[in-house]
Amino acid sequence: MARFRMYPTSEQAQQMLLHCAHARYVWNLAVEQHACWMPGRRSAPGFAEQCHQLTEARRDNAWLRDGNADVQAAGTQGLRAGQERPLRLRVR
């Protein structure tokens, strides 16, 4: 396994934190949508629908538009992957 060490400048570190904040915001919205789902209702939105919603949200919110769309979309993609493959901890 390759490992890399980063030494970002303060500006780069600030940008990385902003990317993380955007991804966390999108993730929390996706979790909320799935948590509000109840039996008998239409299923919670999937990845494609959430990406469409993200596009609309980026259009309406400048702070979200300033972030990286790929990083933000990865927030919803990670949720989907987590639902399909439960976390398996490996003990050494």
Side-chain angles (χ1 to χ4, degrees):
M1 173 193 282
R3 294 182 188 220
F4 300 94
R5 186 172 296 244
M6 296 188 326
Y7 299 101
T9 64
S10 60
E11 184 179 323
Q12 290 169 329
Q14 188 64 31
Q15 188 63 39
M16 284 189 264
L17 288 173
L18 193 58
H19 285 321
C20 290
H22 289 165
R24 184 172 46 252
Y25 177 81
V26 172
W27 168 274
N28 287 339
L29 286 177
V31 168
E32 182 180 353
Q33 286 179 335
H34 285 271
C36 290
W37 180 83
M38 301 174 87
R41 285 189 182 173
R42 193 176 73 125
S43 66
F47 178 66
E49 175 62 23
Q50 287 176 328
C51 283
H52 178 71
Q53 292 173 359
L54 177 59
T55 300
E56 290 178 1
R58 288 174 54 82
R59 189 179 316 125
D60 298 337
N61 298 286
W63 67 270
L64 201 55
R65 188 172 44 248
D66 290 341
N68 185 301
D70 293 330
V71 171
Q72 294 165 2
T76 60
Q77 192 173 21
L79 176 68
R80 183 179 57 104
Q83 291 170 335
E84 292 172 2
R85 293 185 315 258
L87 179 64
R88 292 187 183 143
L89 298 176
R90 192 173 86 196
V91 179
R92 293 181 184 197

